[in-house]
Amino acid sequence: MAASKSKTASKYARGTRSYTMSRIRGKDTSIERVVRSYLFAHGMRFRKNDKRYPGHPDVVLPKYRTIVFVNGCFWHMHEGCSKHSMPKTNTAFWRAKLQRNRERDRRQHDELRRMGWHVIDVWECELGKATRESRLDRLVEQIVDGGADARSDGDAARTPVCGSGGTMNAAKNAAESRT
């Protein structure tokens, strides 16, 4: 009698996981469409997913020399966000993969800044119903002001502003104290 390998139970039927993962979009996501629609409605013209730049930015605004990345909190490891949690299974794989994503993002942002671009990250959690309008208004201000809140000359650029966390008020207070 041959020994059989025991398999862990999966919540997906055979072949379903692959199909499900193939449906996860890399561009033209709903949150990207929300951001692009808002910018277009406010008279801003842009290129999307421009392959000439590192990271194929979601939105490139040449007139303002600004690039916008619209990041999913899970895939880009948004720190302190309730939408990012490490999967419970195959943790070594996911930790390495998500860490590579984060490091790649940092390298690409640094390269774009060296090229003279202002880089702005918009996080999925910031586009929830409760915080969407204020975040998109602030995005337009950041673009028009030349990426003032997104410059790499301090920790403010790296502080996550999260609609589900607690740093949104801190960022708002910091902006008010500058005026």
Side-chain angles (χ1 to χ4, degrees):
M1 194 160 134
S4 64
K5 289 185 179 179
S6 66
K7 290 187 176 182
T8 58
S10 175
K11 72 179 194 179
Y12 295 106
R14 183 179 174 96
T16 307
R17 181 181 308 271
S18 177
Y19 175 79
T20 302
M21 293 301 285
S22 74
R23 298 283 144 246
I24 297 173
R25 301 181 66 104
K27 57 185 176 181
D28 288 331
T29 62
S30 60
I31 56 176
E32 286 178 28
R33 289 193 309 267
V34 164
V35 170
R36 289 195 314 254
S37 169
Y38 191 87
L39 293 177
F40 193 87
H42 283 76
M44 297 190 171
R45 299 303 178 251
F46 50 82
R47 291 191 295 262
K48 62 179 199 160
N49 306 110
D50 197 330
K51 291 181 171 36
R52 294 178 294 177
Y53 303 106
H56 306 163
D58 300 314
V59 178
V60 178
L61 298 123
K63 176 179 177 180
Y64 300 98
R65 198 92 178 124
T66 301
I67 286 179
V68 178
F69 286 95
V70 183
N71 293 334
C73 296
F74 172 76
W75 294 105
H76 297 271
M77 289 183 71
H78 188 196
E79 289 181 33
C81 176
S82 65
K83 291 184 182 272
H84 169 69
S85 62
M86 195 57 67
K88 304 277 188 265
T89 59
N90 206 3
T91 55
F93 165 80
W94 283 108
R95 188 175 327 284
K97 176 174 182 43
L98 297 175
Q99 195 62 42
R100 283 192 313 267
N101 288 353
R102 178 184 276 173
E103 290 303 317
R104 185 189 63 233
D105 289 346
R106 284 190 185 131
R107 280 192 319 271
Q108 291 167 347
H109 284 46
D110 289 345
E111 187 175 347
L112 288 164
R113 287 184 180 109
R114 280 193 303 275
M115 294 167 66
W117 289 90
H118 299 288
V119 181
I120 301 171
D121 281 321
V122 176
W123 293 96
E124 171 186 14
C125 62
E126 295 175 309
L127 298 174
K129 289 181 183 178
T131 57
R132 178 179 297 163
E133 196 69 28
S134 65
R135 177 57 180 118
L136 293 173
D137 286 342
R138 193 163 49 89
L139 174 63
V140 170
E141 288 175 22
Q142 287 177 304
I143 293 168
V144 172
D145 293 342
D149 289 342
R151 274 180 280 178
S152 61
D153 59 353
D155 291 332
R158 289 182 176 78
T159 303
V161 179
C162 180
S164 62
T167 57
M168 173 82 60
N169 290 335
K172 185 187 282 185
N173 293 340
E176 289 172 359
S177 68
R178 276 184 262 149
T179 58

